[in-house]
Amino acid sequence: VKFTQILGCTDPTASNYNPNANTDDGKCKFIGCTDPKATNYNPNATIPCNDNGVNNDCCEYQGATQLGIKEV
């Protein structure tokens, strides 16, 4: 029986999970807060939680009072 290797992200919690992959390629992407100063910082996040790939709209900060910043 010949084994066909299918490279891809094998972590079902990743945004680029490939259910057909049988060999992890190490390129899984995780969306979340990438700001280490935030209370909900996710060290595993590789993509900021805004669609534009720059902003961290989901980040929460202790005692934040600025408009548009979530306070915990």
Side-chain angles (χ1 to χ4, degrees):
V1 175
K2 184 178 177 182
F3 175 75
T4 301
Q5 184 179 39
I6 301 172
L7 293 173
C9 176
T10 59
D11 186 331
T13 64
S15 63
N16 63 332
Y17 169 63
N18 180 351
N20 298 313
N22 55 27
T23 304
D24 195 275
D25 63 2
K27 296 179 181 177
C28 292
K29 296 181 180 184
F30 300 91
I31 298 171
C33 178
T34 58
D35 184 350
K37 293 177 232 148
T39 57
N40 64 333
Y41 168 63
N42 181 351
N44 296 316
T46 55
I47 301 172
C49 44
N50 188 308
D51 289 349
N52 66 14
V54 178
N55 295 331
N56 272 301
D57 287 350
C58 69
C59 292
E60 299 174 353
Y61 300 89
Q62 188 69 40
T65 56
Q66 272 184 288
L67 185 63
I69 296 179
K70 295 181 183 176
E71 183 176 353
V72 178

